[in-house]
Amino acid sequence: MKKARYLWIVLALALLFAACSNGTTGDATEAPGETTDTAEETTDAAQSEYETDVLVIGAGGTGLAAASAAVEAGAEVMVLEKMGMVGGSTALSGGGIAATGTRFQEEQGIEDSKESWMELWRERQATGRENPMYPDYDRVDLFMDRAIDTVHWMTDVIGHEWVRIEGFGFDPVARLHFPESNGSDLTNAMDSFLKDKGVNVMLNTAGTKLLTDDAGAVIGAEAEGENGPITIHAKKVILATGGFARNEEMLEELVPEMAGTS
């Protein structure tokens, strides 16, 4: 399988792509406009039941990146989004991705290194709130490596262009790679990439239930779409529906060691 390069926001999803096949598994359907009985049956079935290699629930930056990486790896992909548009929180952000040692920095003569970035990270942590859970420096190191891949991947695969590189706040080194306007530039670019690849991004469709087999493995999901309930059978399911870092009650229940950090 072609090695996929992942956006830093989907690092936790990387292993899910390992089992994706190199080709699509869906059957071909009749061309639009045909009126044969077979075409009608295919259309009716498609409105309520689907099969795919990878199902991504959530079409914000994380979900779109996961879907794009899976498509790049050769998988057939479907995406569900409860809102009427893609983008999520990423579209509301400034869209800057911090990375050091990129070719874009080199082209502008910006001298930088991962070591100097890590030193700054440790300095800021030393003056901040003590918390043994944050940061995990092995993950920080991995994040920094993947950030380089991400910035290059967005241009080389997705077709996005970075327009400026700047420092920010306590970090004066020009590491933040910015799009022309904001985070919607990133999500729109990935959305266009998926559309060009023929990926079915179903808007106004909220996931309602995960499907599992007898062993407890997730094998798909149920959702509520514009035309009623649908069922998607998938080899892999990726949840990209946001977190609960600001929900103190859920932190206390599910991650008690992080309680009080919201």
Side-chain angles (χ1 to χ4, degrees), residues 124-143:
R124 296 301 301 176
Q125 179 63 15
T127 59
R129 178 173 52 189
E130 290 187 9
N131 188 328
M133 289 290 294
Y134 178 84
D136 178 332
Y137 285 107
D138 288 337
R139 293 186 180 182
V140 173
D141 187 74
L142 180 62
F143 155 73

Side-chain angles (χ1 to χ4, degrees), residues 16-178:
L16 294 177
F17 299 135
C20 293
S21 66
N22 286 327
T24 61
T25 59
D27 294 331
T29 60
E30 298 290 340
E34 292 192 10
T35 58
T36 64
D37 291 340
T38 301
E40 291 177 359
E41 291 173 0
T42 301
T43 300
D44 290 341
Q47 291 179 354
S48 61
E49 195 157 357
Y50 298 82
E51 287 190 12
T52 190
D53 293 332
V54 177
L55 170 64
V56 179
I57 303 177
T62 300
L64 294 172
S68 298
V71 168
E72 184 193 7
E76 182 181 34
V77 179
M78 283 186 62
V79 182
L80 306 182
E81 169 55 50
K82 69 178 181 179
M83 304 298 289
M85 64 188 73
V86 303
S89 297
T90 302
L92 303 176
S93 72
I97 295 182
T100 179
T102 70
R103 69 172 187 263
F104 305 110
Q105 286 177 304
E106 294 176 1
E107 290 169 359
Q108 296 186 26
I110 299 171
E111 296 184 2
D112 195 10
S113 69
K114 188 174 75 171
E115 290 72 23
S116 66
W117 194 12
M118 181 67 79
E119 182 179 354
L120 174 66
W121 198 296
R122 291 182 183 277
E123 288 177 357
R124 296 301 301 176
Q125 179 63 15
T127 59
R129 178 173 52 189
E130 290 187 9
N131 188 328
M133 289 290 294
Y134 178 84
D136 178 332
Y137 285 107
D138 288 337
R139 293 186 180 182
V140 173
D141 187 74
L142 180 62
F143 155 73
M144 290 181 176
D145 287 339
R146 291 294 183 266
I148 301 172
D149 296 338
T150 295
V151 169
H152 293 162
W153 180 83
M154 282 296 298
T155 296
D156 298 340
V157 176
I158 302 302
H160 168 75
E161 295 296 332
W162 304 103
V163 299
R164 67 186 190 279
I165 308 174
E166 299 177 355
F168 180 78
F170 59 81
D171 187 358
V173 178
R175 295 188 176 114
L176 275 172
H177 297 64
F178 281 101

